[in-house]
Amino acid sequence: MHDPAETMPPVLKSKNLTLRPANLADVERRLEIGAEPAENLRLYGVQPESVPPFTLERARWWVQSLIDHPFAWVIEAPGLVGSVRLDGVDFTDRRSSFAIGLLRSEYIGKGIGTEAARLVLHFAFSQLKLHRVSLRVLAMNERAIRSYQKCGFQIEGRERETAFLDGIWHDDLIMGLLEHELRL
């Protein structure tokens, strides 16, 4: 079992990608990628016009937030593609929430997110001994919902009108995955 006192998550590998802890060398890589694609921001519920220009300072913040997080990984496929996290890991109730973001449009829709999710979820259930992982996703983010369902997540509820985007209210779906439901 993974020691919760450890500060760095382990490297996780699959056929097409490596998930590894962030390091300071990632600042330059993140800066080269620049701002997230507007389509991604909308799918996160963020109005792209409201996001300030991507700067070295923001690249440093992005990397440092991953370094400081006990269960966050950089996704390489090869090269920096995005990040994935287990947030709020609770070892008493054996649960956490899940978040993933791909930064490069050319990797979206190619199964990289699903592959990264499966690696992290397998780690969550086999090494951390979690029982449940949950997430929130905008109901309009059909590609992400399909990816999560491929991993075994089930829709458990809907939170109505949680994001105001382009003059329209959008709902969030609440999805959950129990340890015996993971599809690898």
Side-chain angles (χ1 to χ4, degrees):
M1 182 166 139
H2 183 76
D3 180 355
E6 288 181 11
T7 58
M8 291 183 58
V11 173
L12 306 174
K13 291 187 178 195
S14 65
K15 178 182 175 192
N16 298 308
L17 48 97
T18 300
L19 307 183
R20 61 164 178 80
N23 60 61
L24 293 178
D26 291 319
V27 171
E28 194 61 38
R29 294 179 192 109
R30 180 63 186 91
L31 186 60
E32 287 172 10
I33 293 170
E36 289 197 52
E39 175 190 357
N40 283 18
L41 294 172
R42 279 191 169 80
L43 294 174
Y44 301 153
V46 175
Q47 197 72 45
E49 301 79 33
S50 71
V51 177
F54 198 79
T55 62
L56 177 60
E57 170 103 7
R58 290 192 54 217
R60 285 184 182 136
W61 175 87
W62 186 87
V63 170
Q64 193 62 52
S65 69
L66 295 176
I67 290 171
D68 293 343
H69 196 296
F71 300 107
W73 294 264
V74 164
I75 304 169
E76 289 188 338
L80 180 62
V81 174
S83 66
V84 60
R85 308 182 313 270
L86 292 171
D87 291 326
V89 174
D90 179 337
F91 289 101
T92 301
D93 290 331
R94 297 176 46 211
R95 62 184 292 158
S96 77
S97 60
F98 176 83
I100 188 169
L102 299 181
L103 300 168
R104 298 184 151 194
S105 298
E106 63 268 27
Y107 287 98
I108 295 172
K110 306 240 189 282
I112 295 297
T114 302
E115 193 170 335
R118 285 177 170 149
L119 277 172
V120 170
L121 293 166
H122 181 263
F123 169 78
F125 294 127
S126 68
Q127 300 300 307
L128 298 181
K129 304 298 184 200
L130 297 184
H131 173 68
R132 173 185 170 77
V133 176
S134 61
L135 61 84
R136 308 171 65 89
V137 60
L138 283 177
M140 69 176 184
N141 193 344
E142 295 173 7
R143 184 174 47 232
I145 293 165
R146 282 191 308 272
S147 173
Y148 300 142
Q149 288 174 326
K150 287 178 188 174
C151 295
F153 278 95
Q154 296 181 33
I155 296 171
E156 298 178 333
R158 176 181 293 265
E159 193 171 11
R160 298 176 303 139
E161 297 185 0
T162 55
F164 191 67
L165 192 59
D166 297 324
I168 301 169
W169 284 104
H170 297 275
D171 298 350
D172 263 331
L173 296 181
I174 309 304
M175 300 182 78
L177 175 68
L178 303 179
E179 60 188 313
H180 66 273
E181 297 170 332
L182 178 60
R183 295 184 198 139
L184 293 174

